[in-house]
Amino acid sequence: MSTATVMYPKASAEAVTLVEVCSVRLAQTWFGVPITHILEIVGSARPQPVPLAPAYVGGLVHYRGDVLTTVSLRQLLGLPPKEGTQDILVLECSSGCFGLLVDSVGEVLTVSSVDHEANPSILDERRKTLFAGAYKLKDKLLIMLDPERLDPMRLSAAQAG
Amino acid sequence: MDELTREFLIESQEGLDRMERCLTDLEERPRDADLLGDIFRSVHTIKGTTGFLGFKRLEKLAHAGENLLGMLRDGKLLADRPIITGLLQLLDGLRSILKSIETEASEGEGADSALIEQLEALQAPVLAQAKQPARIKATVHAEPEPPPAAVHVSSQVPRQTKPERTAPVAGKAPDEAEPEVSRPRTQTAGTAAESTLRVDVTLLNRMMNLVGELVLTRNQVLQATAADPNMTLLSRRLDMVTADLRENVMKARMQPVSNIFSKVPRIVRDLSQSLGRRVRLQVEGQDTELDKSLLEAIKDPLTHAVRNSLDHGIELPEDRVAVGKDPEGTLKLRASHEGSHVVIEVSDDGAGIAVEKVRQKAIERGVITADRAAQLGERELLQLIFLPGFSTAAAVTNVSGRGVGMDVVRTNVEKIGGKVEIDSRTGKGTTLRLRIPLTLAIIPALIVHSVNQSFALPQGALSELVHVPPEQAAQAIEWMEGVPLYRLRGKLLPLVFLDRLLMPAGEHKMATERDNFIAVLDADGRRFGLVVDGLADPEEIVVKPLSAVLKDIGLYSGATVLGNADLALILDPSAIALKAGVTMSVREEAAHGGEEDAEAVKGLEYLLVEAAGRRAAVPLTEVLRIEQLPVSRIEYIGYRPVLNFEGQLLPIEDTGGVLAAAEGDPDTQIIVVVCREGTRHVGIAVSHVLDVAAGADLFEAGTSQRTGGVTLLKERVTGIVDLGGVQALPPGLSTVEQRWNQIAETVA
């Protein structure tokens, strides 16, 4: 911790907070979603495609008596679609619930705010709007996703704009 | 809005609804002390609570009304027509303030002084008399105002310090202590209050959702356990409990139609006064229940229908006398159950619709050509009044005498999956029938396949299905400058290929390389054929809402989970028509009606079926649907074959011996033609459905009498299946559970 204090004097001025984050994998990249926003994790789902829907819509899944719209993270990041099943994080945002399609769900990690850094300036604009900085872990970077920014309603507004 | 205000709004609105009912009754029984007491309490409760909540405008108005009502209740004034009109205006005034509190959280700006003055003026005779000493004997009773509505917590607020100028006479006091309940007066007050409970509609919706979920899980359990004999009893029990639960949760959302019928007396009163009609209102089946959201949806159509009956149906008293009718016209409202529908009838004994005038007007307005008009029968002509454009007020009121907003009635009712029928006899009256499904949440739909996916097509819009095999596609589907068309009984039907519509960029098989199924749809007067790759079974689907992003696509009205746990999007036929550019002018539609009629002249259309080698005909108008199922689905009550169709028992007629022939192998597929016979449904077991054809009459040689029971179909004499001859099921099997038990017994 002491090294961190030296390197980031600004962060040390604020109280160090610990955040629980669920890690998810997409191709070779790890992403993190704050667990406070996760309602449930649904494993190996096969969403039903919706013809004529915006490209980022990954399809529909049946979730507890409701029909849930999913957002395909792969599509948002411009990756080719994955063969076979994907895992779904059921996320809660201000306008309701939606599912986030990821390749697989990792584990729940506790990360410290001192390890957080904002989006680097060289990141392209699209990714800047989707990511909420990253946590520097020992062996990798954990890119944070903000459920509010992934909300399909917001994505559609962003697309229209 | 805080809890207290919300509670106040709900209670006040209920109170005012009750007051409205009582006021119209009061006109007939102006001396009824109970009615007066009830009305007084409604207004008094509002006044008491408003003072506490600080709604000054409302308090002032309610106070003015209360004074007048007090005098009526004490018998100092008689509730004559001007007073009732004044009180109805008071009611409207109170309602509009409540509405503004609800929407804007304030009483809003508005001058009530004119209304208050009017209410005071109505008290004038008493006030004038009160100046005479001889009349002041009410002061003897020094007893304080009894708590008028002890049950209402809010009204116990000690705000009623203002002395009542019209202190109640002692004899009336006990009436007031009667507890108030938010139910019609006819119910016994005490028990109703104890056995009812206010429940949030969202909670009920959630319950409905979960029950839908349970139904799906049950379907899967049933499929999974079908092979295991040990599980049969358990899964049958699960099936039964689920069906029962679903029925009851649906019932919880039901409200009696009296909720909307109760608005009618007021409309009738106001309109008959302003139009100079004399009308007696008869209401039947008030306690028939309907889903709350559907009830909301038919409020406007019902009002329209009632207005129409009064405005154009029932004649002026002198005109009625002139044709030998009772000067007082009768308007009948009737609600009843009919299968899975509720039928609401608005009938009058007025002049009826002059069909000839409709015909003339239709020609005049260019809706149909004179040739067509001459061909149209009475029934078809009546349907014309539902056409938009035919119902512009000025054009129709003075001609056909009917039709204002009739297209609105039809549109609103069709929006919720209902149907409108009209029946009219010149000089005898008109009956408008609204056929409303019991619930919105579960609808019958046909599952279709396209782009390797399942979609649900609501059956309400579906009129028929046509199969075009690949080898016939080249001739059957014709192209006109890139627009595909199909000749349906000699008439061109625009086609929409679902796969091309859904995936404009994708590669598609030509029509000649695959099976084509044309679903002939009728959406808001737009008729077109939707071409899909395959058909699956019809299913009762539970409609689930879509997220806003997907709703914006505009093609889907929702999604559903099928019996095999697959998701399916529900297609919206009118949106598809719009998207594909299918429009149909009034002229074309009317022409279409004419075409149908031309066929009717040739003879009735029949469904030609074959049962164990013999051909038979079923009148097409009576055919509801055709089911293909394994013979094992047929169960027996005693010797009678029946089909359990989602808890509804269908008696099966098997004169052709199809069931007997299939007995040995439980997997044999048989076809059941489900028909309407009067109000009941019956099934006819057949081995093949051959065709649809128009029948020609046959005449007995020598006598030249038209023969019954047979028709000439495809140049062969064919017997017509006698639907009326299908024996009814034993009565008394009223509930699903009883039916199940009965079947369980007979099966065991």
Side-chain angles (χ1 to χ4, degrees):
Chain A
M1 267 308 141
S2 62
T3 47
T5 320
V6 176
M7 283 172 74
Y8 310 105
K10 206 180 159 209
S12 72
E14 297 160 18
V16 173
T17 51
L18 297 177
V19 191
E20 283 192 295
V21 174
C22 176
S23 71
V24 297
R25 188 183 57 81
L26 201 75
Q28 270 72 55
T29 318
W30 287 91
F31 292 89
V33 180
I35 62 159
T36 46
H37 285 81
I38 303 177
L39 286 178
E40 193 171 330
I41 294 166
V42 183
S44 43
R46 226 181 259 280
Q48 177 86 4
V50 181
L52 299 182
Y56 58 80
V57 172
L60 294 175
V61 284
H62 185 208
Y63 171 70
R64 300 206 172 185
D66 278 322
V67 170
L68 199 67
T69 306
T70 62
V71 170
S72 163
L73 193 54
R74 272 183 170 264
Q75 205 286 325
L76 278 182
L77 300 180
L79 295 174
K82 183 178 177 278
E83 296 287 314
T85 62
Q86 284 189 292
D87 287 349
I88 296 172
L89 294 183
V90 181
L91 301 180
E92 195 177 24
C93 66
S94 49
S95 65
C97 294
F98 67 95
L100 183 69
L101 287 174
V102 297
D103 288 1
S104 65
V105 175
E107 54 187 335
V108 175
L109 304 167
T110 306
V111 291
S112 159
S113 59
V114 288
D115 294 327
H116 185 260
E117 223 170 297
N119 287 335
S121 55
I122 58 162
L123 206 62
D124 70 50
E125 285 305 314
R126 175 130 178 97
R127 284 174 164 73
K128 259 188 215 161
T129 60
L130 296 174
F131 300 162
Y135 283 98
K136 292 161 291 179
L137 305 184
K138 270 201 196 104
D139 53 343
K140 61 191 176 214
L141 279 179
L142 191 69
I143 303 167
M144 286 307 290
L145 296 172
D146 177 359
E148 290 296 337
R149 304 189 195 190
L150 296 172
D151 172 10
M153 264 335 269
R154 224 174 120 161
L155 290 172
S156 90
Q159 227 173 35
Chain B
M1 199 189 302
D2 61 273
E3 195 57 36
L4 198 62
T5 314
R6 205 186 341 260
E7 190 87 341
F8 161 69
L9 283 175
I10 296 173
E11 269 171 16
S12 305
Q13 267 145 9
E14 278 173 3
L16 290 180
D17 285 349
R18 196 163 52 240
M19 174 173 164
E20 188 165 28
R21 276 197 296 275
C22 294
L23 276 174
T24 37
D25 285 350
L26 188 66
E27 196 152 36
E28 271 156 35
R29 290 173 278 142
R31 282 170 215 280
D32 191 318
D34 286 346
L35 282 177
L36 284 166
D38 235 352
I39 299 169
F40 182 83
R41 269 196 301 277
S42 304
V43 177
H44 183 83
T45 311
I46 292 176
K47 194 197 84 172
T49 326
T50 33
F52 173 69
L53 290 170
F55 295 123
K56 292 274 179 268
R57 190 181 151 201
L58 198 57
E59 186 185 8
K60 220 166 142 195
L61 186 58
H63 180 73
E66 194 186 1
N67 285 344
L68 176 61
L69 281 166
M71 290 185 186
L72 288 171
R73 193 188 50 174
D74 299 348
K76 293 182 191 159
L77 272 176
L78 188 65
D80 55 6
R81 186 158 278 198
I83 288 188
I84 288 183
T85 309
L87 288 172
L88 284 171
Q89 277 163 2
L90 166 72
L91 182 83
D92 293 340
L94 293 173
R95 270 207 183 127
S96 76
I97 301 178
L98 286 175
K99 189 153 185 84
S100 123
I101 294 176
E102 193 179 351
T103 50
E104 294 154 35
S106 81
E107 293 179 280
E109 298 295 314
D112 307 314
S113 49
L115 181 53
I116 293 175
E117 264 172 38
Q118 191 194 341
L119 289 171
E120 276 167 2
L122 288 166
Q123 302 166 28
V126 180
L127 291 180
Q129 282 174 343
K131 291 199 180 101
Q132 299 164 11
R135 293 288 297 176
I136 317 174
K137 64 173 188 187
T139 46
V140 179
H141 304 283
E143 89 183 59
E145 168 95 349
V151 175
H152 283 273
V153 180
S154 43
S155 64
Q156 289 173 350
V157 181
R159 246 306 179 122
Q160 301 140 8
T161 44
K162 204 175 287 175
E164 301 295 315
R165 256 186 291 174
T166 53
V169 185
K172 303 271 177 181
D175 283 356
E176 303 221 331
E178 199 184 312
E180 251 189 74
V181 283
S182 53
R183 287 273 137 191
R185 292 181 331 114
T186 43
Q187 285 189 353
T188 30
T191 52
E194 280 157 23
S195 65
T196 56
L197 173 72
R198 247 197 262 280
V199 179
D200 199 331
V201 178
T202 51
L203 181 68
L204 284 176
N205 289 347
R206 179 86 194 123
M207 275 166 73
M208 193 65 216
N209 233 343
L210 290 173
V211 167
E213 198 58 8
L214 186 63
V215 170
L216 292 169
T217 318
R218 172 201 67 176
N219 292 353
Q220 287 159 33
V221 168
L222 289 186
Q223 276 181 16
T225 59
D228 187 348
N230 296 325
M231 295 293 284
T232 330
L233 227 75
L234 267 182
S235 53
R236 189 172 288 167
R237 175 126 196 97
L238 173 70
D239 191 15
M240 204 176 81
V241 173
T242 312
D244 214 5
L245 182 66
R246 184 174 108 171
E247 209 167 293
N248 278 298
V249 172
M250 263 161 72
K251 232 180 248 167
R253 288 180 52 92
M254 299 286 189
Q255 287 192 312
V257 290
S258 57
N259 282 18
I260 55 167
F261 278 12
S262 63
K263 308 271 178 222
V264 175
R266 166 89 189 265
I267 301 169
V268 171
R269 176 190 185 273
D270 289 359
L271 269 181
S272 57
Q273 262 180 35
S274 64
L275 296 169
R277 301 316 202 252
R278 284 179 56 194
V279 182
R280 183 173 57 235
L281 180 68
Q282 279 180 14
V283 183
E284 253 179 70
Q286 292 237 43
D287 43 6
T288 311
E289 291 187 321
L290 201 55
D291 191 281
K292 186 181 162 60
S293 51
L294 293 172
L295 218 48
E296 272 316 297
I298 57 166
K299 215 188 293 169
D300 284 350
L302 184 74
T303 314
H304 258 304
V306 168
R307 279 173 170 279
N308 260 331
S309 275
L310 256 69
D311 197 0
H312 311 302
I314 294 173
E315 316 91 323
L316 289 166
E318 52 269 31
D319 294 344
R320 291 181 63 92
V321 173
V323 292
K325 286 187 189 172
D326 183 347
E328 192 177 45
T330 309
L331 180 71
K332 223 190 262 176
L333 283 185
R334 200 169 147 262
S336 60
H337 276 282
E338 207 171 273
S340 59
H341 285 80
V342 165
V343 177
I344 294 182
E345 263 181 23
V346 181
S347 49
D348 61 59
D349 64 347
I353 302 176
V355 179
E356 274 318 306
K357 287 190 181 165
V358 175
R359 198 196 300 267
Q360 279 169 23
K361 193 69 202 173
I363 298 168
E364 215 171 282
R365 292 180 54 83
V367 178
I368 48 172
T369 62
D371 289 351
R372 291 279 183 214
Q375 287 171 0
L376 289 185
E378 214 163 275
R379 234 186 81 233
E380 281 79 12
L381 279 170
L382 281 181
Q383 296 304 316
L384 290 178
I385 70 164
F386 290 116
L387 290 184
F390 203 82
S391 50
T392 47
V396 169
T397 317
N398 51 22
V399 178
S400 75
R402 189 60 86 104
V404 184
M406 281 316 235
D407 67 317
V408 179
V409 172
R410 183 169 79 165
T411 317
N412 280 353
V413 172
E414 283 183 355
K415 216 180 275 168
I416 52 170
K419 282 212 164 86
V420 185
E421 292 158 16
I422 192 158
D423 231 347
S424 180
R425 284 171 52 205
T426 318
K428 291 268 169 33
T430 306
T431 301
L432 191 74
R433 222 168 276 122
L434 314 181
R435 202 177 281 276
I436 316 291
L438 278 179
T439 169
L440 256 192
I442 297 175
I443 57 167
L446 180 74
I447 311 303
V448 301
H449 298 301
S450 188
V451 295
N452 293 324
Q453 253 177 271
S454 300
F455 295 91
L457 202 52
Q459 268 184 348
L462 186 65
S463 55
E464 63 186 294
L465 291 164
V466 180
H467 176 212
V468 181
E471 59 274 13
Q472 285 177 19
Q475 299 98 35
I477 298 175
E478 294 168 276
W479 296 79
M480 191 164 141
E481 293 290 310
V483 179
L485 298 163
Y486 177 76
R487 267 188 230 201
L488 182 68
R489 289 192 286 281
K491 185 89 188 145
L492 288 179
L493 180 77
L495 293 182
V496 178
F497 285 90
L498 187 58
D499 51 356
R500 271 160 235 215
L501 184 72
L502 294 179
M503 299 206 166
E507 293 275 304
H508 303 291
K509 276 192 183 163
M510 295 303 294
T512 45
E513 296 164 7
R514 55 152 202 216
D515 271 337
N516 299 280
F517 293 92
I518 304 174
V520 182
L521 300 175
D522 209 336
D524 302 339
R526 296 187 183 89
R527 206 170 150 86
F528 67 101
L530 186 69
V531 186
V532 296
D533 307 351
L535 300 178
D537 292 333
E539 259 185 62
E540 300 253 293
I541 58 168
V542 182
V543 181
K544 315 256 181 200
L546 284 178
S547 63
V549 180
L550 301 183
K551 235 182 267 161
D552 289 347
I553 302 173
L555 283 182
Y556 314 115
S557 57
T560 189
V561 186
L562 302 178
N564 58 7
D566 271 357
L567 277 177
L569 289 154
I570 303 169
L571 297 171
D572 178 350
S574 40
I576 291 176
L578 221 59
K579 188 128 185 159
V582 180
T583 51
M584 215 163 237
S585 71
V586 167
R587 195 180 295 268
E588 278 176 274
E589 193 181 333
H592 162 73
E595 177 253 328
E596 269 194 351
D597 193 63
E599 299 228 354
V601 174
K602 274 197 290 176
L604 273 172
E605 280 194 293
Y606 291 94
L607 185 73
L608 186 58
V609 296
E610 190 189 287
R614 278 191 300 162
R615 283 154 61 109
V618 184
L620 196 60
T621 48
E622 307 302 326
V623 176
L624 292 171
R625 58 178 190 274
I626 299 170
E627 299 263 352
Q628 185 172 33
L629 39 98
V631 73
S632 55
R633 278 277 309 273
I634 306 286
E635 295 169 283
Y636 289 86
I637 296 181
Y639 64 96
R640 311 257 344 247
V642 292
L643 178 62
N644 172 26
F645 195 74
E646 320 225 335
Q648 315 254 355
L649 275 197
L650 195 69
I652 304 288
E653 175 71 8
D654 183 31
T655 40
V658 176
L659 296 182
E663 197 117 277
D665 181 6
D667 291 332
T668 311
Q669 294 282 322
I670 58 153
I671 294 167
V672 173
V673 181
V674 182
C675 304
R676 186 174 23 215
E677 200 283 303
T679 54
R680 67 195 181 115
H681 295 173
V682 299
I684 296 158
V686 301
S687 29
H688 300 286
V689 173
L690 300 173
D691 203 354
V692 172
D697 290 329
L698 291 166
F699 300 93
E700 195 183 13
T703 62
S704 293
Q705 293 249 330
R706 188 175 293 182
T707 51
V710 288
T711 184
L712 190 67
L713 264 194
K714 298 222 148 189
E715 281 151 30
R716 279 172 66 173
V717 176
T718 314
I720 300 170
V721 176
D722 177 19
L723 297 173
V726 180
Q727 211 182 332
L729 285 176
L733 297 178
S734 53
T735 69
V736 173
E737 188 160 350
Q738 277 170 342
R739 287 175 187 172
W740 260 110
N741 290 342
Q742 179 107 7
I743 295 167
E745 278 163 29
T746 45
V747 167

